[in-house]
Amino acid sequence: MTRHNSPSDRNRFATIAVGASEIKTNPHRDGTNDVVPPIHLSTTFEWASGEDTNEHDYSRESNPTRAALEEQLARLEGGEHGLAFASGMAATSTTMLSLVPSGGHIVSSDTIYSGTEKLLTEHMAEHLGVDIDFVDIRDPDDVADTVDADTALVWAETPSNPLIRLCDVQTIADIADDNDTLFAVDSTFGSPYYQTPLELGADIVVHSTTKYLNGHSDSIGGAVITDNDEVFQQLAFAQRVGLGNMLSPFDCYLVARGIRTLPARMEQHEKNAMAVAQFLESHDRVDRVHYPGLESYPQHDLASEQMSGYSGMLSFEFDGTLIELEAFIEGLDIFTPGASLGGVESLIEIPSLMLPDEFSRSEESADIPETLVRVSVGLEDADDLCEDLRTALP
Ligand SMILES: Cc1ncc(COP(=O)(O)O)c(C=O)c1O
């Protein structure tokens, strides 16, 4: 399998993203000469009699628009199989529910998206009796000491939400392999443009396509990509039959449309994020900036090794009070305070103010500082972004 993470392979990635070579051979375009793959809204497909077989029968189980997106997602990650789900959480929950038996064991990173943490603690543990161990995923020894013969899944998010922590995917994949367990990586923050965990040995890659893959904050969706045929069969059954949580044709179209500009967007997200991170690092009311592209970042070397760029997400610790932080948010003109990330517009979130329930829960496991600010750096002019922050910071 070819790695596209080296700079010389970037053009190949862009070609896959644009889908140019697939336009002519796309089996889903039904003999038309569409340059843009169409949206197939039909829920059912005429039954073919005799020897003929239908590729699609019923849209929950398979749909041409979804099939085209799923194939493209697999190609972008350098994987065999792709599945598109109704949300990032649908992708995550389907992975966990399909692969972990009740009473089984999950080893999870302790800094993860709050929804995933809730799924683990409130559903998997409380309802299914799954034993969850949270570990500091930055430390492979912590993972090795916790994984055992009963572990069904190791779960990591890299870079993680909201502390932008990384895990060494290759080392943890080896640990999972040695213990005969599956390793899943939520790669939402990196996007397939900057990292391809399957090629580093992970078994499963999960995305919230709501973020960079769609990139325009107008579609909720999720994806799973895997090389493992058995895992694929189990997840495909859940997506198509057992749980029926597939992505709608219209959302598939929106994600596929977003993917065509993914490389260009990611390059600009990263440039802008670097400018914002450097500005924040030099500001005297900022204690620490969590951005893997900064040389001062403790995991900068790991990021440079396993990613081909540092993406557009960062967080920083404000030196001041929550009241000052609230005034800072109100003083912003370009950054919009709000949840989510990865869209063209810059968004800012203060977990302790904006997600108080999740903040109090996460605080226990992940020590998220009260004055942590998470920033999704968009595609506006970088000087304007820095100026907006400069004006609003006390
Ligand atoms: C890293 C990460 N994974 C998964 C999700 C869940 O995705 P969705 O909101 O599409 O269900 C999010 C949402 O913010 C996220 O940040």
Side-chain angles (χ1 to χ4, degrees):
M1 211 166 284
T2 357
R3 292 209 47 181
H4 62 247
N5 265 351
S6 69
S8 59
D9 290 329
R10 289 283 184 89
N11 291 340
R12 179 69 193 130
F13 185 93
T15 307
I16 297 171
V18 171
S21 59
E22 284 78 36
I23 287 170
K24 294 191 190 67
T25 55
N26 182 352
H28 311 292
R29 72 173 184 163
D30 280 353
T32 69
N33 286 334
D34 292 335
V35 168
V36 174
I39 312 175
H40 290 264
L41 291 173
S42 189
T43 55
T44 187
F45 301 86
E46 186 181 345
W47 177 67
S49 62
E51 298 285 292
D52 292 346
T53 49
N54 257 356
E55 194 184 341
H56 307 287
D57 298 313
Y58 181 56
S59 268
R60 169 163 46 72
E61 301 207 359
S62 85
N63 169 283
T65 312
R66 195 170 89 229
L69 172 66
E70 291 177 332
E71 286 164 24
Q72 196 185 25
L73 286 165
R75 277 198 298 275
L76 292 174
E77 286 288 351
E80 283 294 315
H81 310 286
L83 290 164
F85 290 90
S87 65
M89 282 312 297
T92 299
S93 58
T94 303
T95 303
M96 292 183 183
L97 291 167
S98 303
L99 304 178
V100 183
S102 62
H105 182 223
I106 297 180
V107 175
S108 168
S109 164
D110 63 4
T111 57
I112 47 174
Y113 169 57
S114 57
T116 308
E117 190 177 332
K118 267 193 222 173
L119 169 69
L120 284 167
T121 53
E122 291 183 20
H123 190 87
M124 302 303 291
E126 220 164 276
H127 292 302
L128 300 177
V130 172
D131 183 19
I132 322 273
D133 274 315
F134 288 103
V135 295
D136 183 344
I137 204 81
R138 293 170 298 180
D139 177 7
D141 291 340
D142 201 4
V143 180
D145 290 346
T146 316
V147 173
D148 60 33
D150 293 331
T151 310
L153 187 66
V154 177
W155 185 271
E157 209 175 280
T158 183
S160 74
N161 187 358
L163 285 167
I164 325 291
R165 288 183 180 165
L166 272 63
C167 74
D168 180 336
V169 175
Q170 201 153 13
T171 304
I172 294 175
D174 288 344
I175 296 168
D177 218 29
D178 290 346
N179 286 275
D180 229 5
T181 185
L182 294 167
F183 177 34
V185 174
D186 181 335
S187 188
T188 299
F189 274 34
S191 93
Y193 187 63
Y194 284 133
Q195 59 184 19
T196 45
L198 293 184
E199 292 169 330
L200 296 173
D203 301 291
I204 298 155
V205 171
V206 175
H207 283 283
S208 165
T209 61
T210 314
K211 319 300 184 200
Y212 287 117
L213 282 158
N214 165 266
H216 294 75
S217 306
D218 56 7
S219 160
I220 298 278
V224 172
I225 300 97
T226 182
D227 282 336
N228 184 314
D229 294 340
E230 210 177 310
V231 166
F232 170 68
Q233 294 302 340
Q234 281 171 275
L235 267 56
F237 169 77
Q239 178 214 38
R240 298 167 185 179
V241 184
L243 300 175
N245 54 7
M246 72 294 158
L247 192 63
S248 78
F250 186 65
D251 286 289
C252 289
Y253 166 81
L254 288 173
V255 176
R257 185 161 113 134
I259 285 174
R260 279 184 223 125
T261 55
L262 181 72
R265 284 187 287 109
M266 293 314 295
E267 292 281 346
Q268 197 59 40
H269 278 299
E270 187 198 39
K271 271 194 200 130
N272 285 0
M274 184 65 96
V276 168
Q278 284 169 343
F279 163 75
L280 289 169
E281 197 175 38
S282 69
H283 199 284
D284 61 4
R285 298 300 300 273
V286 172
D287 269 345
R288 278 165 78 188
V289 181
H290 306 275
Y291 183 62
L294 291 175
E295 278 179 24
S296 59
Y297 190 68
Q299 293 182 295
H300 175 71
D301 289 347
L302 175 62
S304 305
E305 264 167 47
Q306 72 178 21
M307 301 176 75
S308 59
Y310 308 106
S311 207
M313 291 301 299
L314 60 91
S315 55
F316 69 93
E317 290 170 35
F318 173 68
D319 176 15
T321 63
L322 274 184
I323 291 169
E324 283 177 305
L325 255 191
E326 236 174 315
F328 156 67
I329 291 288
E330 276 162 24
L332 288 166
D333 190 27
I334 298 176
F335 286 86
T336 301
S340 204
L341 59 108
V344 296
E345 64 289 308
S346 291
L347 294 173
I348 203 153
E349 181 182 284
I350 301 172
S352 65
L353 282 179
M354 292 156 69
L355 308 163
D357 289 351
E358 279 131 42
F359 176 74
S360 57
R361 176 198 325 275
S362 304
E363 203 178 20
E364 286 160 28
S365 56
D367 43 62
I368 298 171
E370 199 178 42
T371 58
L372 186 85
V373 181
R374 191 192 76 176
V375 185
S376 172
V377 183
L379 304 184
E380 303 89 343
D381 183 84
D383 289 341
D384 284 346
L385 291 174
C386 293
E387 193 47 39
D388 199 31
L389 293 168
R390 194 191 325 274
T391 311
L393 277 165

